Amino acid sequence: MAKFGAKEVLDATLFDMSSGLPVISFDTLKTSDIEVTTEKVYSRGGKGNSKLLTWEINKEATLKIEDALLSPKSLELVTGIATAVGAKTISMRQTNDWETKDGYKIDKGGSFPLKCSSAGVINLAFTPSNAVANIVVYDADDDCGARVDMTGAALSVNALTLTGDGKTAVAGKNVIVYYNYTSGEDAETYVVDASHFAGTYKLIGTTVVRNQKTGKDEGFQITIPSLKWSSGLTLNFASEGDPSVQTFECEIQKSPNSDTLIEMVKYNTKVS
């Protein structure tokens, strides 16, 4: 039996403990680390109270994986709540003009600040779902300061027209507008609440290891019969550095049918 080296990350699939059906497959993992630890207790005695005997107890096993990408399924695993699909209210703070490209609305950027025309018209990116009186307009130089008067304002699709004091205050100026609009029916909603937690699954992971004797890669399968998935969730949004990865730290439990925590199989695909 030759020695082998392990380097390649796992592809992993979780299976429902009751039905045996696959729940989710991970094929974009960055790392997958299994750690087994124990506690030690000792019998000590004699001069210097040296260790005479050692017992190992409380064997613990954990799995830590990092996924380069998030998915609705992986978020469902963490939250314990199914993803809802349907129109949602989106809160908008508009500071720039937007345009439509390939059927999508796109922010044109800071070189195209949102303006109120001399006629008092502000062209919004989306059609507000608020009542006109609840749309909030500020002079761009006084964001969250003195609210522009909306008395007599009117909305036609996404064109907001100011009148009276409101028009006088910002006509010809850059403005910032706060409003809500309704998304498309394909919006996905992920909810984290206080009462739902991640479940327990069977995991089968596959990778390859390299045979030292032949220099060839061979199959390697890891089976964890009972894996308590992590309910922890960290989302990092940063302007610099590498893209955020999602880390799952899971507890490996004893199999319901044996003492097995982890089973590892090295195999090849040689034709008999």
Side-chain angles (χ1 to χ4, degrees):
M1 290 183 286
K3 295 181 179 180
F4 58 89
K7 179 183 181 297
E8 189 58 83
V9 73
L10 289 177
D11 286 337
T13 301
L14 298 185
F15 295 83
D16 184 272
M17 295 283 284
S18 297
S19 69
L21 295 174
V23 174
I24 184 174
S25 289
F26 295 94
D27 58 2
T28 55
L29 298 183
K30 292 177 68 68
T31 62
S32 42
D33 303 323
I34 293 174
E35 182 178 15
V36 180
T37 61
T38 62
E39 294 180 18
K40 294 181 176 66
V41 294
Y42 309 99
S43 175
R44 294 175 180 268
K47 291 182 173 64
N49 197 31
S50 300
K51 295 176 184 176
L52 305 175
L53 290 172
T54 302
W55 287 265
E56 289 186 290
I57 61 172
N58 295 336
K59 182 174 285 186
E60 303 267 350
T62 59
L63 170 69
K64 178 180 178 181
I65 62 176
E66 288 185 342
D67 197 350
L69 301 175
L70 283 170
S71 72
K73 278 287 186 182
S74 63
L75 286 171
E76 287 179 11
L77 284 176
V78 171
T79 63
I81 301 175
T83 301
V85 179
K88 294 292 290 185
T89 297
I90 306 299
S91 179
M92 182 71 172
R93 175 183 181 268
Q94 187 174 344
T95 61
N96 302 321
D97 285 332
W98 286 51
E99 62 182 342
T100 301
K101 281 188 176 180
D102 300 323
Y104 291 89
K105 295 288 184 73
I106 299 173
D107 189 334
K108 295 176 69 175
S111 297
F112 300 89
L114 183 63
K115 283 184 174 291
C116 178
S117 73
S118 58
V121 178
I122 304 171
N123 290 311
L124 302 175
F126 302 93
T127 301
S129 56
N130 330 49
V132 174
N134 294 327
I135 298 173
V136 179
V137 180
Y138 294 109
D139 186 316
D141 292 328
D142 190 29
D143 187 21
C144 299
R147 182 181 175 185
V148 172
D149 186 5
M150 298 296 289
T151 303
L155 182 68
S156 176
V157 189
N158 62 338
L160 175 65
T161 302
L162 305 179
T163 61
D165 291 342
K167 174 183 174 182
T168 301
V170 293
K173 296 182 178 181
N174 297 341
V175 294
I176 296 174
V177 183
Y178 292 80
Y179 61 97
N180 296 333
Y181 70 93
T182 303
S183 74
E185 293 292 338
D186 58 350
E188 299 172 353
T189 301
Y190 319 109
V191 175
V192 179
D193 70 9
S195 58
H196 288 81
F197 298 89
T200 300
Y201 304 91
K202 175 182 177 180
L203 179 142
I204 297 179
T206 58
T207 185
V208 292
V209 295
R210 184 154 297 175
N211 187 307
Q212 183 190 32
K213 184 176 180 180
T214 66
K216 296 184 181 298
D217 288 340
E218 298 177 341
F220 198 78
Q221 176 177 281
I222 296 174
T223 301
I224 299 174
S226 181
L227 181 70
K228 175 60 178 75
W229 200 253
S230 168
S231 295
L233 177 65
T234 301
L235 297 175
N236 297 314
F237 302 95
S239 60
E240 296 181 345
D242 292 335
S244 173
V245 297
Q246 181 57 50
T247 301
F248 304 102
E249 297 183 0
C250 309
E251 299 290 334
I252 298 174
Q253 304 172 144
K254 186 172 75 71
S255 167
N257 304 314
S258 70
D259 283 339
T260 301
L261 292 172
I262 306 163
E263 178 189 79
M264 293 171 279
V265 179
K266 184 171 74 70
Y267 61 96
N268 61 53
T269 56
K270 181 179 179 181
V271 178
S272 301

